[in-house]
Amino acid sequence: MIPFDYRRAGDAETAVAAVAGNPGAAFLGGGTNLVDHMKLGVAEPDLLVDVTRLPFDSVDPLPGGGLRIGAGVRNSDLAADERVRTRYPVLAEALLSGASGQLRNLATTGGNLLQRTRCGYFQDVTTPCNKRRPGEGCSAREGYHRYHAILGASPHCVAVHPSDLAVALTALDAVVRVRGPRDGHGERAIPAAELHRLPGEHPEWDTVLGHGDLITAVDLPPLPMAARSRYRKVRDRASYAFALVSVAAAVELTGDVIGDVRIALGGVAHKPWRATLAEAALRGRPPDRAEFRAAAEAELADAQPLRDNRFKVPMARNTIVSVLAGLTGEEPR
Amino acid sequence: MTTSTKSTVTRTDGIGASPRRPDGTAKVRGEFAYSSDLWHEDMLWGATLRSPHPYARITGIDIARALALPGVYAVLTHADVPGVNRYGLEHADQPVLAEDVVRYRGEPVVVVAADHPETARRALERVEVGYEVLDPVTDAESAVAGQGAELHPGGNVVRHVPIRRGDPDAAAEVVVTGRYEVGMQDQAFLGPESGLAVPAEDGGVDLYVATQWLHVDQRQIVAALDLPEDKVRLTLGGVGGAFGGREDLSIQVHACLLALHTGRPVKMVYNREESFYGHVHRHPAVLYYEHGADRDGTLRYVRARIYLDGGAYASSTGAVVGNAATLGVGPYDVPNVSVDCWGAYTNNPPCGAMRGFGAVQAAFAYESQMDRLAAACGLDPVEVRIRNAMAQGTVMPTGQVVDSPAPVEELLRRVRAKPLPPEPSGEPDLRTLPGGVSNTTHGEGVVRGVGYAVGIKNICFSEGFDDYATVRVRLQVVGGEPAATVHTAACEVGQGLVTVLQQIVRSELGVERVTVEPSDTTIGSAGSTSASRQTYVTGGAVREACLRIRDALGALSPAELGDKVLDETVEWRHRPTEELHPETGQGNAHVQYGFAAHRAVVDVDTELGLVKVVALDCAQDVGKAINPQAVLGQIQGGSAQGLGLAVMEEIKTEGGVIRNPSFTDYLIPTVLDMPPMSIDVLELADPHAPYGLRGVGEPPTISSTPAVVAAIRAATGRALTRVPVRPEHITGT
């Protein structure tokens, strides 16, 4: 770990200015990801601006029925919030399936969204990695890539985004509120589905945020269908493991058919993958396994698995089918 | 004792009781002093520069910039090793610090001592090492075949053990063959390698360290430092788990070297990533088996070729090869046997001792074969095993006659007779389903399977090794009360040896107050805390010393000693073993065998490839349960470690580089992955062993893995010839 300065921000404006004014500065939330990366030499900030004391630590109702989640709300607290549990169960389930109890007690909402990939090469500074050092090359493409992307990857990067929370927020059409150096006293709103980006030519950029942009909150829309929502995470052990594949979904039945549906996938791409093709295929269709399977296959038709992660394609398909079947009362059987 | 999780409490807390462990409360409260907690006021911190390449020639080492860093007290290379720059458990083939060549990624090249761990790390970054990268050897089978660079003089075969018994051309009506693979498992002990070396006024050094065998460390340290034995004194630090991973040296010579060089105490602690590079692992294996049998399942012959990847240095590969070969057919009576086992040098991480020590790899293969044989003969898997089960009197493939109870059949019958867990019904508890609380399965596509396995392990050191323990027991009256003290160099690594030694003294001398002194090298060797041997050997030595004290007491009771101190030092050996014949593998190589059987019940989500082990019941013969609670702990822990190898634990290497050196990426079972166990403990005395006891620690690890995999096979119909089994192996994608 290299030496760094530490400053505790008194208000958001100062925090943003402090980071924006120094290219080597970073915001410090729970530190559960950044500090690890500092130890590994993956991140070498020379200034940490602690934002955990900013007044972004509550979950508040929004006019119209939504919820505003402060960026500093800890994962454990958010998962335990009664409104979240009853109106957005997918969100609580996603949070509780992530990391461990100790980590969830520290990790913040904003920090969770901004955690970086668990790609082993990204974390090993002795190996080439375009995300860590653009232009070096991607070691994972031909290397150990069982956990890597099957959708939306580029020749430069096959990493996946590790957050469970982000997958649920993407399915829920949540909106991320950001205060940046050019926003003055105002804030911008970025749909959760657009916060993270595909790697393309620039895998070093995980999100559309610029340097000094501070996430202040996440807004959940009033989405009645989210009361019937679920998160499933397939992984190598029963707790404390990253997703091989995860599915966040919400379904609204209108009569005998699917009126509306939201599906997002985790563990398959550089960003939480909103399954718009599957959603389109399902709207107005009857809720049965054949339909679910056809929709999942439509979404995954363009999947380009790597040598050692082909299993993720049928696993994603089966998980989508299983989640939708559960949500529509098709199971157990 | 059978089917009991309760212990029989005796009033005296002697043999057969489960008294409270002296270290138990401190460990649970987080107050136990592990070796990483060692502290000396003016100490320096050591750190190790390791090779970034699996195989490279060193073209130059420049330490000038590191030395120039304020706060740096020493930067040492191979040129600073005063003695022989080679060490090793069986062969001294590993440099203390690399000279001309590095043979694995993570091999120590330079060590530094500095005033702060951060300064030490910075100093490492300033050392410049020139490397000419060479093509690594990463496949054991081709290494044995002579392909690739010769990594050590004499070639890349560390050891080859052939076993030949009966007719080499035996034929049979039913033949089943298979190729099996075992991944590289890690001991995953929680306490990283650590210790503190304190230079002494006599020119020597005192080392406090977490290890498994103080004297074998001492032997290697004095050779490297070129000091007489009495100048290098070791004391055991608090050990946070071992499982074989602390048999080899890690920080020992480096810390002593730095302490002697700087004249200051030097502490070294590895971090978790460094720990993955800093100790040996379980040998990955490729195993080819052919079983021939009559139509009724009676075995006619077994032929096998086993390749173990020993990595860059020999460590204990030779002995692991001996075990895999001699135990290669399992606990079965086979008239015709031809087994060849090789251990190879490669540029992969060095492999050596881990719980089960060669028997684990062989058991996955031979038990998979027994299931194939059962299927080929249309027999029940338990029936085919019972039909071929060895027993007391059986002649082993080495020609050794088994001369103590070998209740293989009874163990199998016992696990089979246990009630099966209820079929899931109604709204299931998520914790009981594949995927657990992560909510991946609600019961759809879930298939249940049941699998059996039984295994065999040699207890104590084998093949003619002079295996002994030295103990000193004193009895005197202290404060009006008789009290005994026990001094040995035996290492308590968490298994409960200290408690067991106290129990033995209480029972033999009839005193309640028994103090076990810290383990150090001021007394003779007690041998290694490995091969499930300490209760047998050091326990046997303590018993012998107590018997002599009882003789000296004569008609007196301990309370009547007055000012007298009865003091006995004993060096105790188990009966001798023989070397294996180099061409036929014949010989009475083993002292004792241990046996365990498991029945695993799994629920498999066949759509997602997830496994939940619903039950993992065990029966094991321990001869005599000195401490029943500790016995159950060993069986539960060993079974969990076997479950880990079955479904999740593997160090992934790529061209000799470890890809998952953290506990976030190297997965070990959590409490959610491990079912509660029903355990039968048999106590069939071995007439040759103290109290009739049998080593406990390793057998449950051996049969656990193949039982779990057999159950997954039963549920899925998949061949599953490799462990760990991953979701993609179950879904077949």
PDB file of all heavy atoms in Angstrom, chain A residues 1 118 121 143 146 232-233 235 237-238 311 318 322 331, chain B residues 118 121 438-440 444 607 654 659 665 668 673 728 733:
ATOM      1  N   MET A   1       0.849  -1.194   0.000  1.00  0.00           N
ATOM      2  CA  MET A   1       0.000   0.000   0.000  1.00  0.00           C
ATOM      3  C   MET A   1       0.887   1.247   0.000  1.00  0.00           C
ATOM      4  O   MET A   1       1.814   1.327   0.798  1.00  0.00           O
ATOM      5  CB  MET A   1      -0.888  -0.005   1.251  1.00  0.00           C
ATOM      6  CG  MET A   1      -2.193   0.730   1.047  1.00  0.00           C
ATOM      7  SD  MET A   1      -3.165   0.814   2.578  1.00  0.00           S
ATOM      8  CE  MET A   1      -3.999  -0.771   2.580  1.00  0.00           C
ATOM      9  N   ARG A 118     -14.159  -9.049  -9.975  1.00  0.00           N
ATOM     10  CA  ARG A 118     -13.372 -10.020  -9.219  1.00  0.00           C
ATOM     11  C   ARG A 118     -12.468 -10.830 -10.159  1.00  0.00           C
ATOM     12  O   ARG A 118     -11.952 -11.879  -9.767  1.00  0.00           O
ATOM     13  CB  ARG A 118     -14.325 -10.942  -8.461  1.00  0.00           C
ATOM     14  CG  ARG A 118     -13.658 -11.820  -7.402  1.00  0.00           C
ATOM     15  CD  ARG A 118     -13.180 -11.052  -6.182  1.00  0.00           C
ATOM     16  NE  ARG A 118     -12.191 -11.815  -5.434  1.00  0.00           N
ATOM     17  CZ  ARG A 118     -11.574 -11.374  -4.341  1.00  0.00           C
ATOM     18  NH1 ARG A 118     -11.838 -10.176  -3.856  1.00  0.00           N
ATOM     19  NH2 ARG A 118     -10.677 -12.112  -3.731  1.00  0.00           N
ATOM     20  N   TYR A 121      -7.159 -11.732 -12.894  1.00  0.00           N
ATOM     21  CA  TYR A 121      -6.057 -11.019 -13.561  1.00  0.00           C
ATOM     22  C   TYR A 121      -6.107  -9.529 -13.243  1.00  0.00           C
ATOM     23  O   TYR A 121      -5.082  -8.880 -13.132  1.00  0.00           O
ATOM     24  CB  TYR A 121      -6.106 -11.260 -15.069  1.00  0.00           C
ATOM     25  CG  TYR A 121      -6.023 -12.719 -15.410  1.00  0.00           C
ATOM     26  CD1 TYR A 121      -7.173 -13.455 -15.679  1.00  0.00           C
ATOM     27  CD2 TYR A 121      -4.798 -13.383 -15.419  1.00  0.00           C
ATOM     28  CE1 TYR A 121      -7.106 -14.806 -15.965  1.00  0.00           C
ATOM     29  CE2 TYR A 121      -4.718 -14.732 -15.699  1.00  0.00           C
ATOM     30  CZ  TYR A 121      -5.886 -15.446 -15.974  1.00  0.00           C
ATOM     31  OH  TYR A 121      -5.813 -16.783 -16.247  1.00  0.00           O
ATOM     32  N   GLY A 143      -7.182 -17.371 -20.588  1.00  0.00           N
ATOM     33  CA  GLY A 143      -6.700 -17.902 -19.313  1.00  0.00           C
ATOM     34  C   GLY A 143      -7.797 -18.574 -18.505  1.00  0.00           C
ATOM     35  O   GLY A 143      -8.655 -19.270 -19.055  1.00  0.00           O
ATOM     36  N   ARG A 146     -13.500 -19.085 -16.019  1.00  0.00           N
ATOM     37  CA  ARG A 146     -14.746 -19.784 -15.706  1.00  0.00           C
ATOM     38  C   ARG A 146     -15.818 -18.811 -15.213  1.00  0.00           C
ATOM     39  O   ARG A 146     -17.015 -19.019 -15.459  1.00  0.00           O
ATOM     40  CB  ARG A 146     -14.434 -20.824 -14.640  1.00  0.00           C
ATOM     41  CG  ARG A 146     -15.601 -21.674 -14.229  1.00  0.00           C
ATOM     42  CD  ARG A 146     -15.136 -22.821 -13.351  1.00  0.00           C
ATOM     43  NE  ARG A 146     -16.295 -23.491 -12.815  1.00  0.00           N
ATOM     44  CZ  ARG A 146     -16.832 -23.215 -11.627  1.00  0.00           C
ATOM     45  NH1 ARG A 146     -16.279 -22.297 -10.865  1.00  0.00           N
ATOM     46  NH2 ARG A 146     -17.907 -23.838 -11.211  1.00  0.00           N
ATOM     47  N   ARG A 232     -32.267 -14.768  -7.621  1.00  0.00           N
ATOM     48  CA  ARG A 232     -31.623 -16.065  -7.426  1.00  0.00           C
ATOM     49  C   ARG A 232     -30.189 -15.990  -7.895  1.00  0.00           C
ATOM     50  O   ARG A 232     -29.894 -15.451  -8.960  1.00  0.00           O
ATOM     51  CB  ARG A 232     -32.338 -17.160  -8.212  1.00  0.00           C
ATOM     52  CG  ARG A 232     -33.601 -17.564  -7.547  1.00  0.00           C
ATOM     53  CD  ARG A 232     -34.014 -18.916  -8.001  1.00  0.00           C
ATOM     54  NE  ARG A 232     -35.375 -19.165  -7.544  1.00  0.00           N
ATOM     55  CZ  ARG A 232     -36.102 -20.166  -7.976  1.00  0.00           C
ATOM     56  NH1 ARG A 232     -35.616 -20.999  -8.864  1.00  0.00           N
ATOM     57  NH2 ARG A 232     -37.317 -20.336  -7.518  1.00  0.00           N
ATOM     58  N   LYS A 233     -29.341 -16.590  -7.099  1.00  0.00           N
ATOM     59  CA  LYS A 233     -27.913 -16.514  -7.360  1.00  0.00           C
ATOM     60  C   LYS A 233     -27.345 -17.929  -7.350  1.00  0.00           C
ATOM     61  O   LYS A 233     -27.468 -18.634  -6.353  1.00  0.00           O
ATOM     62  CB  LYS A 233     -27.263 -15.668  -6.262  1.00  0.00           C
ATOM     63  CG  LYS A 233     -25.761 -15.527  -6.377  1.00  0.00           C
ATOM     64  CD  LYS A 233     -25.264 -14.571  -5.306  1.00  0.00           C
ATOM     65  CE  LYS A 233     -23.770 -14.421  -5.347  1.00  0.00           C
ATOM     66  NZ  LYS A 233     -23.301 -13.478  -4.318  1.00  0.00           N
ATOM     67  N   ARG A 235     -24.138 -20.288  -7.428  1.00  0.00           N
ATOM     68  CA  ARG A 235     -22.725 -20.128  -7.072  1.00  0.00           C
ATOM     69  C   ARG A 235     -22.151 -21.441  -6.578  1.00  0.00           C
ATOM     70  O   ARG A 235     -22.870 -22.408  -6.388  1.00  0.00           O
ATOM     71  CB  ARG A 235     -22.574 -19.038  -6.030  1.00  0.00           C
ATOM     72  CG  ARG A 235     -23.574 -19.160  -4.888  1.00  0.00           C
ATOM     73  CD  ARG A 235     -23.415 -18.045  -3.896  1.00  0.00           C
ATOM     74  NE  ARG A 235     -24.599 -17.851  -3.084  1.00  0.00           N
ATOM     75  CZ  ARG A 235     -24.653 -16.996  -2.068  1.00  0.00           C
ATOM     76  NH1 ARG A 235     -23.614 -16.270  -1.759  1.00  0.00           N
ATOM     77  NH2 ARG A 235     -25.741 -16.854  -1.381  1.00  0.00           N
ATOM     78  N   ARG A 237     -20.649 -22.231  -3.686  1.00  0.00           N
ATOM     79  CA  ARG A 237     -20.969 -22.695  -2.338  1.00  0.00           C
ATOM     80  C   ARG A 237     -22.140 -21.877  -1.812  1.00  0.00           C
ATOM     81  O   ARG A 237     -22.518 -20.875  -2.411  1.00  0.00           O
ATOM     82  CB  ARG A 237     -19.758 -22.650  -1.407  1.00  0.00           C
ATOM     83  CG  ARG A 237     -19.329 -21.285  -0.989  1.00  0.00           C
ATOM     84  CD  ARG A 237     -18.167 -21.333   0.017  1.00  0.00           C
ATOM     85  NE  ARG A 237     -17.552 -20.028   0.106  1.00  0.00           N
ATOM     86  CZ  ARG A 237     -16.388 -19.780   0.710  1.00  0.00           C
ATOM     87  NH1 ARG A 237     -15.707 -20.754   1.262  1.00  0.00           N
ATOM     88  NH2 ARG A 237     -15.902 -18.563   0.735  1.00  0.00           N
ATOM     89  N   ALA A 238     -22.668 -22.291  -0.677  1.00  0.00           N
ATOM     90  CA  ALA A 238     -23.966 -21.778  -0.260  1.00  0.00           C
ATOM     91  C   ALA A 238     -23.921 -20.349   0.262  1.00  0.00           C
ATOM     92  O   ALA A 238     -24.954 -19.712   0.384  1.00  0.00           O
ATOM     93  CB  ALA A 238     -24.575 -22.697   0.792  1.00  0.00           C
ATOM     94  N   PHE A 311     -20.863 -23.457 -19.847  1.00  0.00           N
ATOM     95  CA  PHE A 311     -21.936 -23.918 -18.947  1.00  0.00           C
ATOM     96  C   PHE A 311     -22.849 -22.782 -18.519  1.00  0.00           C
ATOM     97  O   PHE A 311     -23.987 -22.999 -18.134  1.00  0.00           O
ATOM     98  CB  PHE A 311     -21.337 -24.597 -17.719  1.00  0.00           C
ATOM     99  CG  PHE A 311     -20.648 -23.649 -16.769  1.00  0.00           C
ATOM    100  CD1 PHE A 311     -21.330 -23.110 -15.693  1.00  0.00           C
ATOM    101  CD2 PHE A 311     -19.316 -23.277 -16.967  1.00  0.00           C
ATOM    102  CE1 PHE A 311     -20.702 -22.240 -14.820  1.00  0.00           C
ATOM    103  CE2 PHE A 311     -18.689 -22.404 -16.100  1.00  0.00           C
ATOM    104  CZ  PHE A 311     -19.379 -21.874 -15.032  1.00  0.00           C
ATOM    105  N   ASN A 318     -31.652 -21.827 -17.590  1.00  0.00           N
ATOM    106  CA  ASN A 318     -32.409 -22.588 -16.596  1.00  0.00           C
ATOM    107  C   ASN A 318     -32.767 -21.732 -15.381  1.00  0.00           C
ATOM    108  O   ASN A 318     -33.814 -21.920 -14.773  1.00  0.00           O
ATOM    109  CB  ASN A 318     -31.609 -23.815 -16.156  1.00  0.00           C
ATOM    110  CG  ASN A 318     -31.483 -24.848 -17.252  1.00  0.00           C
ATOM    111  OD1 ASN A 318     -32.102 -24.701 -18.318  1.00  0.00           O
ATOM    112  ND2 ASN A 318     -30.693 -25.870 -17.029  1.00  0.00           N
ATOM    113  N   SER A 322     -36.441 -20.994 -14.102  1.00  0.00           N
ATOM    114  CA  SER A 322     -36.777 -21.368 -12.734  1.00  0.00           C
ATOM    115  C   SER A 322     -37.344 -20.186 -11.946  1.00  0.00           C
ATOM    116  O   SER A 322     -38.332 -20.321 -11.215  1.00  0.00           O
ATOM    117  CB  SER A 322     -35.507 -21.909 -12.068  1.00  0.00           C
ATOM    118  OG  SER A 322     -35.759 -22.269 -10.755  1.00  0.00           O
ATOM    119  N   GLU A 331     -44.277 -23.421  -9.824  1.00  0.00           N
ATOM    120  CA  GLU A 331     -43.485 -24.387  -9.095  1.00  0.00           C
ATOM    121  C   GLU A 331     -43.973 -24.446  -7.660  1.00  0.00           C
ATOM    122  O   GLU A 331     -44.743 -23.599  -7.245  1.00  0.00           O
ATOM    123  CB  GLU A 331     -42.021 -23.976  -9.139  1.00  0.00           C
ATOM    124  CG  GLU A 331     -41.834 -22.616  -8.500  1.00  0.00           C
ATOM    125  CD  GLU A 331     -40.458 -22.417  -7.905  1.00  0.00           C
ATOM    126  OE1 GLU A 331     -39.556 -23.186  -8.197  1.00  0.00           O
ATOM    127  OE2 GLU A 331     -40.331 -21.477  -7.135  1.00  0.00           O
TER     128      GLU A 331
ATOM    129  N   GLU B 118       5.799  -2.202   6.487  1.00  0.00           N
ATOM    130  CA  GLU B 118       5.631  -1.408   5.271  1.00  0.00           C
ATOM    131  C   GLU B 118       6.994  -1.038   4.672  1.00  0.00           C
ATOM    132  O   GLU B 118       7.183  -1.078   3.456  1.00  0.00           O
ATOM    133  CB  GLU B 118       4.821  -0.153   5.634  1.00  0.00           C
ATOM    134  CG  GLU B 118       4.154   0.542   4.498  1.00  0.00           C
ATOM    135  CD  GLU B 118       3.459  -0.390   3.530  1.00  0.00           C
ATOM    136  OE1 GLU B 118       2.702  -1.279   3.953  1.00  0.00           O
ATOM    137  OE2 GLU B 118       3.700  -0.223   2.320  1.00  0.00           O
ATOM    138  N   ARG B 121       8.313  -4.069   2.954  1.00  0.00           N
ATOM    139  CA  ARG B 121       7.677  -4.306   1.657  1.00  0.00           C
ATOM    140  C   ARG B 121       8.231  -3.349   0.604  1.00  0.00           C
ATOM    141  O   ARG B 121       8.498  -3.725  -0.528  1.00  0.00           O
ATOM    142  CB  ARG B 121       6.162  -4.131   1.782  1.00  0.00           C
ATOM    143  CG  ARG B 121       5.386  -4.730   0.632  1.00  0.00           C
ATOM    144  CD  ARG B 121       3.920  -4.329   0.674  1.00  0.00           C
ATOM    145  NE  ARG B 121       3.715  -2.903   0.580  1.00  0.00           N
ATOM    146  CZ  ARG B 121       3.858  -2.193  -0.535  1.00  0.00           C
ATOM    147  NH1 ARG B 121       4.241  -2.776  -1.647  1.00  0.00           N
ATOM    148  NH2 ARG B 121       3.655  -0.889  -0.523  1.00  0.00           N
ATOM    149  N   SER B 438     -29.119 -18.901  -0.557  1.00  0.00           N
ATOM    150  CA  SER B 438     -29.049 -18.006  -1.705  1.00  0.00           C
ATOM    151  C   SER B 438     -30.282 -18.174  -2.574  1.00  0.00           C
ATOM    152  O   SER B 438     -30.435 -17.501  -3.573  1.00  0.00           O
ATOM    153  CB  SER B 438     -27.794 -18.264  -2.504  1.00  0.00           C
ATOM    154  OG  SER B 438     -27.817 -19.580  -3.012  1.00  0.00           O
ATOM    155  N   ASN B 439     -31.147 -19.099  -2.205  1.00  0.00           N
ATOM    156  CA  ASN B 439     -32.476 -19.099  -2.806  1.00  0.00           C
ATOM    157  C   ASN B 439     -32.451 -19.544  -4.255  1.00  0.00           C
ATOM    158  O   ASN B 439     -33.209 -19.069  -5.072  1.00  0.00           O
ATOM    159  CB  ASN B 439     -33.047 -17.672  -2.714  1.00  0.00           C
ATOM    160  CG  ASN B 439     -34.543 -17.650  -2.857  1.00  0.00           C
ATOM    161  OD1 ASN B 439     -35.204 -18.657  -2.621  1.00  0.00           O
ATOM    162  ND2 ASN B 439     -35.083 -16.509  -3.250  1.00  0.00           N
ATOM    163  N   THR B 440     -31.539 -20.440  -4.584  1.00  0.00           N
ATOM    164  CA  THR B 440     -31.444 -20.820  -5.988  1.00  0.00           C
ATOM    165  C   THR B 440     -32.419 -21.920  -6.363  1.00  0.00           C
ATOM    166  O   THR B 440     -32.764 -22.062  -7.510  1.00  0.00           O
ATOM    167  CB  THR B 440     -30.042 -21.285  -6.338  1.00  0.00           C
ATOM    168  OG1 THR B 440     -29.663 -22.250  -5.389  1.00  0.00           O
ATOM    169  CG2 THR B 440     -29.089 -20.143  -6.346  1.00  0.00           C
ATOM    170  N   GLU B 444     -37.507 -27.702  -7.444  1.00  0.00           N
ATOM    171  CA  GLU B 444     -37.759 -28.185  -8.798  1.00  0.00           C
ATOM    172  C   GLU B 444     -36.492 -28.800  -9.372  1.00  0.00           C
ATOM    173  O   GLU B 444     -35.383 -28.310  -9.149  1.00  0.00           O
ATOM    174  CB  GLU B 444     -38.266 -27.053  -9.710  1.00  0.00           C
ATOM    175  CG  GLU B 444     -37.222 -26.030 -10.107  1.00  0.00           C
ATOM    176  CD  GLU B 444     -37.036 -24.928  -9.091  1.00  0.00           C
ATOM    177  OE1 GLU B 444     -37.247 -25.164  -7.885  1.00  0.00           O
ATOM    178  OE2 GLU B 444     -36.646 -23.833  -9.505  1.00  0.00           O
ATOM    179  N   GLU B 607     -30.897 -29.000 -12.915  1.00  0.00           N
ATOM    180  CA  GLU B 607     -30.978 -27.923 -13.904  1.00  0.00           C
ATOM    181  C   GLU B 607     -29.824 -26.943 -13.748  1.00  0.00           C
ATOM    182  O   GLU B 607     -29.286 -26.437 -14.717  1.00  0.00           O
ATOM    183  CB  GLU B 607     -32.306 -27.172 -13.762  1.00  0.00           C
ATOM    184  CG  GLU B 607     -33.498 -27.997 -14.195  1.00  0.00           C
ATOM    185  CD  GLU B 607     -34.800 -27.214 -14.060  1.00  0.00           C
ATOM    186  OE1 GLU B 607     -34.762 -26.055 -13.608  1.00  0.00           O
ATOM    187  OE2 GLU B 607     -35.834 -27.782 -14.400  1.00  0.00           O
ATOM    188  N   GLU B 654      -2.315 -22.005 -13.443  1.00  0.00           N
ATOM    189  CA  GLU B 654      -2.266 -21.760 -14.886  1.00  0.00           C
ATOM    190  C   GLU B 654      -0.798 -21.518 -15.217  1.00  0.00           C
ATOM    191  O   GLU B 654      -0.221 -20.524 -14.774  1.00  0.00           O
ATOM    192  CB  GLU B 654      -3.096 -20.516 -15.209  1.00  0.00           C
ATOM    193  CG  GLU B 654      -3.083 -20.134 -16.670  1.00  0.00           C
ATOM    194  CD  GLU B 654      -3.722 -18.762 -16.881  1.00  0.00           C
ATOM    195  OE1 GLU B 654      -3.870 -18.000 -15.912  1.00  0.00           O
ATOM    196  OE2 GLU B 654      -4.032 -18.462 -18.033  1.00  0.00           O
ATOM    197  N   ARG B 659      -4.143 -19.008  -9.388  1.00  0.00           N
ATOM    198  CA  ARG B 659      -5.105 -17.995  -9.839  1.00  0.00           C
ATOM    199  C   ARG B 659      -6.104 -17.592  -8.757  1.00  0.00           C
ATOM    200  O   ARG B 659      -6.858 -16.647  -8.950  1.00  0.00           O
ATOM    201  CB  ARG B 659      -5.838 -18.507 -11.075  1.00  0.00           C
ATOM    202  CG  ARG B 659      -5.023 -18.406 -12.325  1.00  0.00           C
ATOM    203  CD  ARG B 659      -5.082 -16.987 -12.917  1.00  0.00           C
ATOM    204  NE  ARG B 659      -3.877 -16.666 -13.644  1.00  0.00           N
ATOM    205  CZ  ARG B 659      -3.010 -15.707 -13.280  1.00  0.00           C
ATOM    206  NH1 ARG B 659      -3.209 -14.985 -12.218  1.00  0.00           N
ATOM    207  NH2 ARG B 659      -1.930 -15.475 -13.989  1.00  0.00           N
ATOM    208  N   ASP B 665     -11.657 -16.577  -3.094  1.00  0.00           N
ATOM    209  CA  ASP B 665     -11.640 -17.284  -4.377  1.00  0.00           C
ATOM    210  C   ASP B 665     -11.323 -18.771  -4.240  1.00  0.00           C
ATOM    211  O   ASP B 665     -11.694 -19.557  -5.099  1.00  0.00           O
ATOM    212  CB  ASP B 665     -10.620 -16.626  -5.306  1.00  0.00           C
ATOM    213  CG  ASP B 665     -10.936 -15.158  -5.537  1.00  0.00           C
ATOM    214  OD1 ASP B 665     -12.042 -14.874  -6.033  1.00  0.00           O
ATOM    215  OD2 ASP B 665     -10.107 -14.305  -5.200  1.00  0.00           O
ATOM    216  N   ILE B 668     -13.738 -22.943   0.690  1.00  0.00           N
ATOM    217  CA  ILE B 668     -13.844 -24.065   1.617  1.00  0.00           C
ATOM    218  C   ILE B 668     -15.277 -24.090   2.145  1.00  0.00           C
ATOM    219  O   ILE B 668     -15.953 -23.069   2.140  1.00  0.00           O
ATOM    220  CB  ILE B 668     -12.835 -23.973   2.778  1.00  0.00           C
ATOM    221  CG1 ILE B 668     -12.966 -22.641   3.529  1.00  0.00           C
ATOM    222  CG2 ILE B 668     -11.412 -24.099   2.253  1.00  0.00           C
ATOM    223  CD1 ILE B 668     -12.057 -22.531   4.729  1.00  0.00           C
ATOM    224  N   ASP B 673     -22.766 -25.443   4.105  1.00  0.00           N
ATOM    225  CA  ASP B 673     -22.495 -26.502   3.135  1.00  0.00           C
ATOM    226  C   ASP B 673     -22.379 -27.870   3.790  1.00  0.00           C
ATOM    227  O   ASP B 673     -22.386 -28.878   3.114  1.00  0.00           O
ATOM    228  CB  ASP B 673     -21.192 -26.195   2.394  1.00  0.00           C
ATOM    229  CG  ASP B 673     -21.241 -24.861   1.667  1.00  0.00           C
ATOM    230  OD1 ASP B 673     -21.970 -24.783   0.669  1.00  0.00           O
ATOM    231  OD2 ASP B 673     -20.584 -23.909   2.107  1.00  0.00           O
ATOM    232  N   GLU B 728     -20.940 -27.261 -13.747  1.00  0.00           N
ATOM    233  CA  GLU B 728     -20.916 -27.587 -15.169  1.00  0.00           C
ATOM    234  C   GLU B 728     -20.689 -29.077 -15.416  1.00  0.00           C
ATOM    235  O   GLU B 728     -21.055 -29.593 -16.463  1.00  0.00           O
ATOM    236  CB  GLU B 728     -19.868 -26.749 -15.906  1.00  0.00           C
ATOM    237  CG  GLU B 728     -18.457 -26.806 -15.340  1.00  0.00           C
ATOM    238  CD  GLU B 728     -18.167 -25.672 -14.360  1.00  0.00           C
ATOM    239  OE1 GLU B 728     -19.054 -25.344 -13.546  1.00  0.00           O
ATOM    240  OE2 GLU B 728     -17.054 -25.123 -14.416  1.00  0.00           O
ATOM    241  N   THR B 733     -22.429 -29.333 -19.241  1.00  0.00           N
ATOM    242  CA  THR B 733     -22.180 -28.301 -20.243  1.00  0.00           C
ATOM    243  C   THR B 733     -20.767 -27.785 -20.103  1.00  0.00           C
ATOM    244  O   THR B 733     -20.431 -27.002 -19.396  1.00  0.00           O
ATOM    245  CB  THR B 733     -23.173 -27.138 -20.080  1.00  0.00           C
ATOM    246  OG1 THR B 733     -23.274 -26.788 -18.702  1.00  0.00           O
ATOM    247  CG2 THR B 733     -24.519 -27.534 -20.611  1.00  0.00           C
TER     248      THR B 733
END
